[in-house]
Amino acid sequence: MALVATVRATYLSGPYESPIIILSVGPEDDNPVLFHVHKEKLIHIPFFEAAIREDAFIEGQQGKISFEEEDPVLFRRVVEFLYEGDCFPRQKLLPAASFGFEVPLKVKRTALDSKEEDYVPSLAVEMASGTYLALADTHQLFTMVTKLLCVADRYIIEDLVDMTFQKLKHFPIGIKELAVLAQHVSRSIPETRGDIHKFLADQVYLHLPRLSNCPEFISLLESEMSTLGQGLVSLITNASLSAQGRYFDKVLQNNAKVVVCIMDVTVDGCRERYGSDDKYEIKFGAAMAGEVLLSDGIVDSRNMLVGQHVLSGPKLAFPASSLSSFCRKKAVYL
């Protein structure tokens, strides 16, 4: 009988047999949305583990946690992630070993009568220059993922923070998307998350020549009654937030060219694909998707493009296929 009890306990003690915790999202006096989540799915997250402790908070005794300030639409994505390990928009692996989403990201040229196109990462510079714009549905999706990143950070759901941040780096980012990113990251994401703030800083510098003509961004800078405007001004002027800033001054002054990394690049990955770099003067480099590099566009015999992370840094070699073509329009960088 003891063996039977042990077997029964083993096979009937999974997450779907654990108690139900109710997550009430939205104002209590305005029909909040109720999510019924198994306790086992929550206790691995420090915030929830602490909240549902029966000996610590009334929420734990009642089996219910209220989130009156949160958006039910965003929390639905959180619950999806808790159960599936992913949430809308889910990423999918494309034939070319790159990533796409379950719904297409759509952009179009700013020229009249242009047709909508599927966004590809090589259009990152064209988005920054204003040659392309994201369509409304894609912009709304970007906004949702940005807000979800903030929710994940607020409740310290680290895996969801990482996932949403990686997804953001695959979106088309134009002026309007940058304004959304700046607003939410500056207000909600602490500076201790340096990778996220560096990504924002890089995008600010990339779009800098056009920001003066963006009403959404200017309204953020003029928020003198809050720290938001000061934070964004500091983001633009303080090079310590991003080493990229040290050479962007030269980019703006001398019309130097930049490239945008469209996929993560590692030194080990380059060596596996191209062999050792011992006999070459310029060594392999590493960069993250969305990172901006200074480059004159030179491609060597290995089909590697030479770039720099910072103005005074060493020249490094990156696969040409991993970087967007540099923009030749002087107006973009003047």
Side-chain angles (χ1 to χ4, degrees), residues 265-278 280-286 300 302 304 315-319:
V265 177
T266 65
V267 173
D268 288 343
C270 290
R271 287 173 179 165
E272 181 178 342
R273 181 176 179 182
Y274 298 97
S276 174
D277 59 0
D278 291 342
Y280 292 93
E281 179 181 353
I282 298 178
K283 306 302 182 182
F284 294 138
D300 66 16
R302 299 168 291 176
M304 304 289 284
K315 292 184 176 181
L316 300 169
F318 302 87

Side-chain angles (χ1 to χ4, degrees), residues 277-297:
D277 59 0
D278 291 342
K279 63 181 181 180
Y280 292 93
E281 179 181 353
I282 298 178
K283 306 302 182 182
F284 294 138
M288 296 188 301
E291 190 168 353
V292 182
L293 304 173
L294 186 67
S295 176
D296 55 11

Side-chain angles (χ1 to χ4, degrees), residues 211-320:
L211 291 183
S212 61
N213 296 319
C214 175
E216 295 90 346
F217 201 89
I218 295 303
S219 66
L220 296 178
L221 293 178
E222 293 175 348
S223 301
E224 297 180 0
M225 299 304 293
S226 69
T227 59
L228 176 61
Q230 297 175 4
L232 289 176
V233 171
S234 174
L235 183 64
I236 293 175
T237 59
N238 186 357
S240 66
L241 284 178
S242 171
Q244 305 280 314
R246 289 201 293 270
Y247 69 72
F248 261 93
D249 285 339
K250 182 175 180 179
V251 170
L252 295 174
Q253 294 171 11
N254 301 320
N255 194 35
K257 300 180 179 69
V258 297
V259 292
V260 179
C261 191
I262 61 177
M263 63 182 71
D264 291 343
V265 177
T266 65
V267 173
D268 288 343
C270 290
R271 287 173 179 165
E272 181 178 342
R273 181 176 179 182
Y274 298 97
S276 174
D277 59 0
D278 291 342
K279 63 181 181 180
Y280 292 93
E281 179 181 353
I282 298 178
K283 306 302 182 182
F284 294 138
M288 296 188 301
E291 190 168 353
V292 182
L293 304 173
L294 186 67
S295 176
D296 55 11
I298 294 177
V299 177
D300 66 16
S301 59
R302 299 168 291 176
N303 199 31
M304 304 289 284
L305 189 144
V306 177
Q308 293 171 278
H309 287 284
V310 294
L311 180 60
S312 58
K315 292 184 176 181
L316 300 169
F318 302 87

Side-chain angles (χ1 to χ4, degrees), residues 90-325:
R90 296 164 184 81
Q91 283 188 300
K92 61 181 181 179
L93 186 63
L94 300 178
S98 59
F99 281 92
F101 291 98
E102 59 184 319
V103 292
L105 304 179
K106 294 292 187 178
V107 297
K108 64 180 293 187
R109 288 182 175 273
T110 53
L112 293 176
D113 301 325
S114 61
K115 296 180 179 180
E116 64 180 45
E117 305 175 25
D118 288 342
Y119 174 72
V120 292
S122 58
L123 293 177
V125 170
E126 281 77 1
M127 289 294 302
S129 69
T131 305
Y132 276 81
L133 298 174
L135 296 190
D137 287 349
T138 296
H139 175 78
Q140 291 174 5
L141 194 58
F142 177 88
T143 301
M144 187 274 288
V145 174
T146 302
K147 291 180 178 179
L148 182 59
L149 172 67
C150 296
V151 171
D153 172 78
R154 189 150 51 246
Y155 299 106
I156 320 176
I157 311 174
E158 293 296 343
D159 289 344
L160 185 55
V161 170
D162 293 341
M163 177 175 291
T164 50
F165 182 42
Q166 291 303 319
K167 288 181 179 181
L168 279 180
K169 293 194 290 187
H170 288 87
F171 270 83
I173 300 180
I175 285 290
K176 290 186 177 181
E177 290 71 42
L178 177 58
V180 169
L181 187 68
Q183 176 185 0
H184 291 286
V185 169
S186 297
R187 285 176 172 165
S188 302
I189 303 294
E191 290 187 10
T192 51
R193 293 205 184 268
D195 54 345
I196 297 176
H197 278 269
K198 180 181 182 301
F199 177 70
L200 172 58
D202 290 345
Q203 291 297 323
V204 167
Y205 282 116
L206 185 61
H207 290 75
L208 193 57
R210 301 179 60 237
L211 291 183
S212 61
N213 296 319
C214 175
E216 295 90 346
F217 201 89
I218 295 303
S219 66
L220 296 178
L221 293 178
E222 293 175 348
S223 301
E224 297 180 0
M225 299 304 293
S226 69
T227 59
L228 176 61
Q230 297 175 4
L232 289 176
V233 171
S234 174
L235 183 64
I236 293 175
T237 59
N238 186 357
S240 66
L241 284 178
S242 171
Q244 305 280 314
R246 289 201 293 270
Y247 69 72
F248 261 93
D249 285 339
K250 182 175 180 179
V251 170
L252 295 174
Q253 294 171 11
N254 301 320
N255 194 35
K257 300 180 179 69
V258 297
V259 292
V260 179
C261 191
I262 61 177
M263 63 182 71
D264 291 343
V265 177
T266 65
V267 173
D268 288 343
C270 290
R271 287 173 179 165
E272 181 178 342
R273 181 176 179 182
Y274 298 97
S276 174
D277 59 0
D278 291 342
K279 63 181 181 180
Y280 292 93
E281 179 181 353
I282 298 178
K283 306 302 182 182
F284 294 138
M288 296 188 301
E291 190 168 353
V292 182
L293 304 173
L294 186 67
S295 176
D296 55 11
I298 294 177
V299 177
D300 66 16
S301 59
R302 299 168 291 176
N303 199 31
M304 304 289 284
L305 189 144
V306 177
Q308 293 171 278
H309 287 284
V310 294
L311 180 60
S312 58
K315 292 184 176 181
L316 300 169
F318 302 87
S321 59
S322 68
L323 302 168
S324 71
S325 58

